[in-house]
Amino acid sequence: MIKVSVILPVYGVAQYIERCAQSLLSQTLQEMEFIFVDDHGPDNSIDIVKNLIAGNPRESQFVFLRPPHNLGAGMARNFGIPHANGEYIAFVDSDDWVEPSMFEKLYQQALSCDHSDLCYCQLSKDFLDGRPSEAVSNPSIPQGFLSIEDKRYFLSHYVSLFSTYIYKREMVSRNNIHFPESRSADDSFFITSALVFAESMAHVDEPLYHYILRPGSVTTTKDSNKYQKRLATFNSLMQYLKDAGVYEKFKDEIDFIYFKKGYLSSVFNYLSNSLEPQKETVLQIRSEMISQIPDYAANPYLKGSLKLRLLDFLIKNCTSLAMKIIPPYVRRTNQVV
């Protein structure tokens, strides 16, 4: 029986993929499969993996898929999901790497918590410019069955880190949890959906996943239109959860996620990536937020955050000033845009 299926989209990572693949070959959990989705990249990344695993005892655990055309990371993961056979599925970016014990520890912890729907570890953010690594952690909650209160707390405090989780495949399939077509913030779409539907969760409080911040990666490449894709992602998330009949149950938490990760992050993204940002565009982003959550000012989580309310006040009432101070604020706080 395959315990964990790992899905990896591959595009232009020849410089990094050998270390990633080697970390998969080194996994202490034996009952695994590794699904590489060749997303029509410009280099020989897939050949590097095939050469590395040739003759290895785990070679048969490596599966290679190639969609008809380039899909982008999120849709490439969607392409891989139906091919997964594991009890759990996981996602690794092909320029990152994982500790040898990661999937064994996650699987055993999920097992000990009555086969929990989700199990996550912590993350090490590794820089290629010599800066020391930074540990990034999600909040801790009691393991096992997720009470409504625990789920609301986690939804309102989580850091995305979607690749640090294993997800019960049956839960993903039953609820049609997927990545959106828009090529931005698709990780937030997926993990928010999974958290809403999960009934139980476990965790391993160790940084077992190494997230590499490199020049040219999706999170570090400037794109003046990226904010539009981010907004589209969070608009789709709202519609997906409404269609699934779960939005009202977690309205406060989902609206808060939209406010932070949809609205404010879109403003941050636009101002950080545009050479000549326009006031009208900033206000259009805010208008989109109001159309989605017109009663946002009554949100209890927003009421409890002076910083977020101040940022919104500046964007609304002092837009030109906000446009000057937000980019250095983003750089100083290491916000990912």
Side-chain angles (χ1 to χ4, degrees), residues 235-254:
N235 289 345
S236 296
L237 175 64
M238 298 284 275
Q239 192 60 52
Y240 165 72
L241 296 176
K242 288 176 181 178
D243 291 344
V246 294
Y247 170 74
E248 289 298 330
K249 188 174 184 178
F250 299 103
K251 180 182 184 305
D252 288 339
E253 293 74 28
I254 295 166

Side-chain angles (χ1 to χ4, degrees), residues 4-8 88-92 102-103 163 165-167:
V4 179
S5 300
V6 182
I7 299 171
L8 305 91
Y88 288 85
I89 60 174
F91 304 98
V92 171
M102 174 171 167
F103 292 111
S163 52
Y165 290 73
I166 59 173
Y167 307 80

Side-chain angles (χ1 to χ4, degrees), residues 37-308:
V37 183
D38 180 0
D39 202 20
H40 297 261
D43 58 26
N44 64 333
S45 295
I46 293 294
D47 291 335
I48 291 172
V49 178
K50 289 182 177 179
N51 290 334
L52 177 69
I53 66 173
N56 190 284
R58 304 189 78 150
E59 182 177 4
S60 63
Q61 296 180 341
F62 283 66
V63 178
F64 297 92
L65 305 176
R66 184 175 170 86
H69 54 81
N70 173 262
L71 299 174
M75 296 298 286
R77 297 184 191 107
N78 285 345
F79 189 81
I81 289 174
H83 297 271
N85 298 294
E87 181 183 357
Y88 288 85
I89 60 174
F91 304 98
V92 171
D93 285 343
S94 49
D95 50 354
D96 297 336
W97 63 280
V98 298
E99 294 288 340
S101 61
M102 174 171 167
F103 292 111
E104 181 172 19
K105 287 183 174 180
L106 288 175
Y107 181 80
Q108 292 300 331
Q109 188 65 14
L111 199 69
S112 69
C113 294
D114 197 26
H115 288 266
S116 60
D117 290 333
L118 303 174
C119 186
Y120 68 91
C121 63
Q122 311 303 353
L123 176 144
S124 175
K125 186 187 293 185
D126 298 347
F127 300 90
L128 296 183
D129 59 4
R131 283 181 287 169
S133 298
E134 297 178 1
V136 184
S137 302
N138 273 309
S140 290
I141 60 173
Q143 303 197 71
F145 174 75
L146 274 171
S147 69
I148 294 297
E149 292 74 20
D150 287 339
K151 190 179 292 191
R152 285 177 174 155
Y153 178 81
F154 203 89
L155 279 166
S156 58
H157 290 83
Y158 82 91
V159 183
S160 182
L161 307 186
F162 83 107
S163 52
T164 63
Y165 290 73
I166 59 173
Y167 307 80
K168 187 175 284 186
R169 183 166 60 91
E170 186 277 331
M171 179 199 69
V172 171
S173 175
R174 170 166 38 90
N175 296 294
N176 187 30
I177 300 173
H178 60 282
F179 294 88
E181 292 185 13
S182 48
R183 299 188 181 195
S184 180
D186 49 12
D187 55 342
S188 293
F189 185 109
F190 191 93
I191 189 59
T192 300
S193 303
L195 288 169
V196 165
F197 287 109
E199 296 180 0
S200 55
M201 183 158 58
H203 52 84
V204 176
D205 293 324
E206 299 177 46
L208 302 175
Y209 188 99
H210 291 265
Y211 171 57
I212 309 301
L213 276 170
R214 62 179 178 89
S217 68
V218 172
T219 55
T220 57
T221 302
K222 287 186 176 295
D223 179 354
S224 60
N225 294 318
K226 189 176 179 181
Y227 79 94
Q228 296 174 336
K229 303 171 188 175
R230 175 174 284 270
L231 279 177
T233 292
F234 284 95
N235 289 345
S236 296
L237 175 64
M238 298 284 275
Q239 192 60 52
Y240 165 72
L241 296 176
K242 288 176 181 178
D243 291 344
V246 294
Y247 170 74
E248 289 298 330
K249 188 174 184 178
F250 299 103
K251 180 182 184 305
D252 288 339
E253 293 74 28
I254 295 166
D255 286 355
F256 189 55
I257 290 169
Y258 188 99
F259 186 92
K260 291 187 303 177
K261 297 176 179 289
Y263 160 50
L264 287 182
S265 288
S266 291
V267 172
F268 293 174
N269 186 286
Y270 174 67
L271 294 179
S272 298
N273 287 293
S274 298
L275 294 177
E276 297 182 1
Q278 302 297 311
K279 178 178 178 180
E280 293 76 14
T281 302
V282 174
L283 293 176
Q284 285 172 5
I285 296 172
R286 188 175 187 278
S287 294
E288 185 65 27
M289 179 271 294
I290 293 173
S291 72
Q292 289 288 337
I293 45 174
D295 56 348
Y296 80 97
N299 187 280
Y301 300 105
L302 186 56
K303 284 185 174 181
S305 176
L306 177 61
K307 180 180 74 173
L308 296 185

